[in-house]
Amino acid sequence: MQLSVIIVNYNVKYFLEQCLLSVHKAIAGIQAEVFVVDNASADGSRSYLEPRFSNTRFIWNSENIGFGKACNQALQLASGDYILFLNPDTIVPEDCFTACISFLEQRANAGALGIRMLDGSGNFLPESKRSFPSPLTSFYKLSGLSFLFPKSKTFGRYHLGYLNEQQNHEIDVLAGAFMFIKKEVLDKIGGFDENFFMYGEDVDLSYRIQQAAYKNYYFSERSILHFKGESTKKSSVNYVRMFYVAMSRFVQKHYSTSKAGLFSALINAAIWMRAFLSIIKRFIQRIGLPVLDALLIFLSFWLAKYVWVHYVRPETVYINELLLVSFTGFTLLFLTVSYYTGLYEKYFRAKNLWRSTIISMLIILAAYSLLPERFRFSRGIVLTGSVFSYFILNVWRWLLLKTEVLQKAADEADHFSIVAGTQQDLHTINQILKDAGKQQVVQGFVSPFNEEHSLGTINDISKLLQNTPVKELILCESRALPFAQIISLYEQTGKEIKLRLHAATSTSIIGSDSKNEAGEVLNSQTYQLARAVNQRIKRLIDVGIAATLLLLFPVHFIFNQHPIKLLSHCLQVLLAQKTWIGYSAEHVGLPQIKPSVLGPAGVPHRQTQLNAEGLLLADEWYAREYKPAYDLQTILTSYKKLGIS
């Protein structure tokens, strides 16, 4: 056996699917085996992947035992002359493994190699080549000097920025995403140190390879895609803590006491500094954004009042107490509308801000007109305050986008996409998008050959990008467009547009626009219930129905056979302990919702006559095809059943 490929999976089944498709293309013609060790994924990886890859050996762990320990599990079973530890969010070219083997065979002192890696936008990943951590190297990185002077031999040593990425080099550290190692080396030094749960184990293993008189190499003659951000969230406080603690453990294990002490001090400073910045970012993203928005909206109305009093109607006297109450109400109304129009979704859309402003302004003006005369002060201030709010929030969002606290999303309606592939690929992609509930339609395709009805050939992509408003390119792997060519296209075009990948026989489209955030997946099993906007509307329907039923409670003694239990259900729904309509059973892989009063068909759980398989199909249909109107209709038509347990 020439090669054993070992992949550890944790909740990234669609990325792993396409990774495995590329791996099996790359092992064609050589004796190889592929292991996947799953660390208790909760996304249905087993039921999805095992039937599709009978030529892969799966190990299913009942708990997350960490990266290093999972790799060692497969390593004990591996029989290849070479071992490749590979991340599940990678794509390799067809001739990758044969080129790596050839490179190592030509160097008697070589123990292992890492490879040139590109992210989901085609950018070179600097961690493809690194030096061992030291107090000074870490200080240069943490202080930002390595960022300011990436090519410096002194300040840029962490990522070895002064070494040409297009040339092969002897380096210190191999990235854990792709570690190609001779089996005889691992037999001598052992596998991963299992004291490293996650992060740092690649540094430790690289160090032990060198200590055993072998050399580590950076191999630039082939490139792979590493989407990044998939198995972990790089911007989280937990990531910062785990990463730097792992680095500290490495230094204490291998360096002198004095150097380890200095390094630990820097590590602790880094943890606190990065954690502080990460907490601020998370606060703004999750809680602080609406709070800060509220402050800005409130100030916008006071600014409108100031302008109106000093420049428009200086002779008018306004009651500040009345304005204070009114502006507070306007602000809360503005925030409520913004929430339900999607302004606080993960990705910022300019149309959501415009839409929330218009709707809020209309509602505020309508409410204002219904107030008694003595409570009215000036429609002009209301209108001006709304306009000021819009412009101030626009500037605020611009700052957040510039500092990458928020990310901008391309609006589907304006999304000009093309496919790199055949006309059949175009039909496949449009079907996946349709099944995923996307409004987006791909406008055309560029063919690997001069196919009829195509926009041109693959070689014309650069011209198309220059002369059309293309914002997204979906690259479809096939015999005519292999992974190697796709990776090359990523590097050529990724800095200009969004890139997505669809491998032949897969059911998904994957991509990642940031190395620090989880990537995106579109597939025929995309659940509408997982969409944030549907979750919000579902909760709004739950609360609205519960509140209405409580107000009408005396009526239920006449029309409902279980009024007391109905009251109990109303209170549970209001307290977010239950939802009116939901799953009939607990399921791994479906969007999480609260336990439900009724099943998807409006039937109480104890009255259902479906077997376990039927319940699963019904629940999957509900999650996949969910529409808020269905919940509302089912609740209204199942009124008499709402009090049944």
Side-chain angles (χ1 to χ4, degrees), residues 395-407:
V395 173
W396 172 228
R397 289 301 187 278
W398 178 81
L399 289 172
L400 293 177
L401 289 170
K402 283 294 182 182
T403 54
E404 297 186 352
V405 174
L406 290 183
Q407 287 186 297

Side-chain angles (χ1 to χ4, degrees), residues 628-642:
Y630 178 80
D631 262 12
L632 193 59
Q633 178 185 354
T634 305
I635 293 170
L636 295 177
T637 56
S638 306
Y639 163 74
K640 292 185 178 181
K641 303 174 185 177
L642 295 178

Side-chain angles (χ1 to χ4, degrees), residues 341-479:
T341 53
L343 187 59
Y344 299 111
E345 290 181 352
K346 180 179 178 181
Y347 297 105
F348 171 68
R349 289 177 169 84
K351 70 176 183 181
N352 288 344
L353 178 56
W354 177 84
R355 184 168 54 186
S356 63
T357 303
I358 295 297
I359 296 174
S360 299
M361 185 167 60
L362 293 175
I363 294 176
I364 290 171
L365 287 172
Y368 176 85
S369 66
L370 296 175
L371 291 174
E373 186 68 33
R374 65 180 182 276
F375 293 130
R376 300 181 195 176
F377 44 89
S378 171
R379 283 191 179 88
I381 292 179
V382 175
L383 182 60
T384 305
S386 298
V387 173
F388 282 180
S389 296
Y390 173 74
F391 284 107
I392 290 174
L393 289 180
N394 246 320
V395 173
W396 172 228
R397 289 301 187 278
W398 178 81
L399 289 172
L400 293 177
L401 289 170
K402 283 294 182 182
T403 54
E404 297 186 352
V405 174
L406 290 183
Q407 287 186 297
K408 188 174 183 179
D411 292 328
E412 292 176 15
D414 302 324
H415 211 145
F416 194 107
S417 304
I418 61 173
V419 160
T422 64
Q423 189 164 15
Q424 180 57 48
D425 290 327
L426 175 63
H427 294 316
T428 300
I429 294 300
N430 275 327
Q431 187 61 49
I432 292 175
L433 293 173
K434 180 181 178 182
D435 292 342
K438 290 291 183 180
Q439 302 173 18
Q440 171 187 353
V441 176
V442 180
Q443 281 76 8
F445 70 103
V446 288
S447 175
F449 35 85
N450 196 14
E451 192 174 352
E452 188 179 3
H453 304 304
S454 70
L455 300 174
T457 67
I458 296 294
N459 297 329
D460 298 323
I461 284 182
S462 296
K463 294 178 183 178
L464 280 168
L465 297 182
Q466 293 172 5
N467 296 285
T468 61
V470 174
K471 295 182 179 179
E472 181 180 70
L473 177 64
I474 304 173
L475 297 137
C476 297
E477 180 269 335
S478 64
R479 185 173 298 178

Side-chain angles (χ1 to χ4, degrees), residues 44-60:
S45 287
R46 184 167 193 169
S47 60
Y48 183 77
L49 294 169
E50 211 165 31
R52 286 173 166 80
F53 296 97
S54 58
N55 49 1
T56 298
R57 298 178 64 180
F58 289 94
I59 301 172
W60 304 101

Side-chain angles (χ1 to χ4, degrees), residues 97 237 307 382 551 604:
F97 301 155
V237 177
V307 171
V382 175
L551 292 173

Side-chain angles (χ1 to χ4, degrees), residues 154 257 281 316 349 461:
T154 301
T257 303
K281 181 177 179 180
T316 306
R349 289 177 169 84
I461 284 182

